[in-house]
């Protein structure tokens, strides 16, 4: 009997988690076409900025990749809570594996749109926080697009940097040249990392790891513990920029 009740509890919890995830994905999908405006405070502690807090009339756009978010995060609904005097539902997002940042998103229950969000690193420190202190009477139209992941990008990155071990949950989603270097954006659905191959090293700083491979350097930057960033690059044994260059040329000629 006790075992049966335990299994039932697990099934109910799993079902509740799936429903919470679906509801949050619905909110984030709607946020691509409508948004709240008003007076907001945006604080960025990582990477460090001076001053860390600025005023805005909207929340920054979250770099959401819905399929990756669903695969890599546990989502739990909490609440209701008050945000800027309005009733909101809180969603806690925790990575299923690894040490990526966890998030909290507060959603207006009437508008079904975000009112605030917060990002915390694996050490619990607040990396980024955005919240409204005043909101306008009604949301407005928005137009946020989620670019498709270029076909073959993951394989091209693996060929260009043999031995690279991506942190749990992260996958290449975008590529762009920047001068004499290449920058690949990695995403787990919400957190992003920058993977760079360049002719020069990068200055040491929190959230930055680099490795010299032959005549080139590979950097990995983002809100992960230093050990995780370093481990991802530790096995890289070659840098083959032609693999990325060829891929980018193919991408440009076939939009």
């Amino acid at each position: 009997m006790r075992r049966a009740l335990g299994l039932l509890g697990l099934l109910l919890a799993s079902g509740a988690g799936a429903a919470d995830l679906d509801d949050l994905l619905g909110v984030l999908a709607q946020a691509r076409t409508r948004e709240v405006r008003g007076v907001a405070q945006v604080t960025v502690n990582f990477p460090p900025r001076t001053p860390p807090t600025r005023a805005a009339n909207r929340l920054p756009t979250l770099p959401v990749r819905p399929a990756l978010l669903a695969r890599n995060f546990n989502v739990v609904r909490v609440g209701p809570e008050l945000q800027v005097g309005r009733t909101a539902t809180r969603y806690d997002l925790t990575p299923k594996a690894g040490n990526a940042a966890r998030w909290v998103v507060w959603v207006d229950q009437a508008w079904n749109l975000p009112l605030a969000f917060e990002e915390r690193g694996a050490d619990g420190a607040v990396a980024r926080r955005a919240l409204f202190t005043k909101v306008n009477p009604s949301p407005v139209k928005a137009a946020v697009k989620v670019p498709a992941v270029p076909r073959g990008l993951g394989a091209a990155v693996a060929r260009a940097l043999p031995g690279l071990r991506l942190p749990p949950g992260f996958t290449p989603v975008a590529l762009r040249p920047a001068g004499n270097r290449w920058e690949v954006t990695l995403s787990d659905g919400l957190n992003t990392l920058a993977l760079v191959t360049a002719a020069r090293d990068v200055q040491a700083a929190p959230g930055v790891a680099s490795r010299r491979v032959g005549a080139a350097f590979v950097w990995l930057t983002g809100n992960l513990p230093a050990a995780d960033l370093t481990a991802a690059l530790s096995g890289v044994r070659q840098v083959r920029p032609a693999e990325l260059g060829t891929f980018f040329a193919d991408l440009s000629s076939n939009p």
Side-chain angles (χ1 to χ4, degrees), residues 227-244:
D228 294 66
L229 296 172
T230 300
L233 302 180
S234 63
V236 177
R237 56 186 183 272
Q238 285 183 291
V239 176
R240 301 169 177 170
E243 297 289 349
L244 293 178

Side-chain angles (χ1 to χ4, degrees), residues 70-117:
R71 186 174 76 190
N72 294 315
F73 283 86
N74 291 314
V75 178
V76 177
R77 185 200 324 254
V78 183
E81 297 181 359
L82 286 180
Q83 281 288 328
V84 69
R86 296 181 62 88
T87 304
T89 299
R90 189 181 95 203
Y91 291 89
D92 292 345
L93 294 86
T94 306
K96 294 179 180 178
N99 295 312
R102 61 184 185 269
W103 291 71
V104 180
V105 180
W106 287 268
V107 176
D108 188 282
Q109 288 192 351
W111 293 335
N112 207 36
L113 292 169
L115 287 177
F117 65 78

Side-chain angles (χ1 to χ4, degrees), residues 4 11 15 20 31 39 43 52 66 123 125 128-129 135 166 173 190 205 211 216-217 227 230 245 250-251:
L11 290 172
D20 294 348
V39 179
T43 300
D123 61 357
R128 183 163 46 146
R129 177 184 289 139
V135 294
L166 296 179
V173 297
L190 194 50
R211 175 178 172 82
F217 291 88
T230 300
D250 291 343
L251 184 66

Side-chain angles (χ1 to χ4, degrees), residues 176-215:
R176 69 181 180 91
N180 64 346
R181 66 179 192 260
W182 296 97
E183 181 175 324
V184 179
T185 300
L186 308 176
S187 174
D188 65 357
L190 194 50
N191 298 296
T192 59
L193 305 174
L195 175 66
V196 179
T197 61
R200 297 182 178 181
D201 201 0
V202 65
Q203 184 175 355
V208 178
S210 69
R211 175 178 172 82
R212 182 168 188 165
V213 183

Side-chain angles (χ1 to χ4, degrees), residues 148-160:
V149 177
R151 183 178 298 176
L153 179 57
V157 171
R159 292 193 303 269

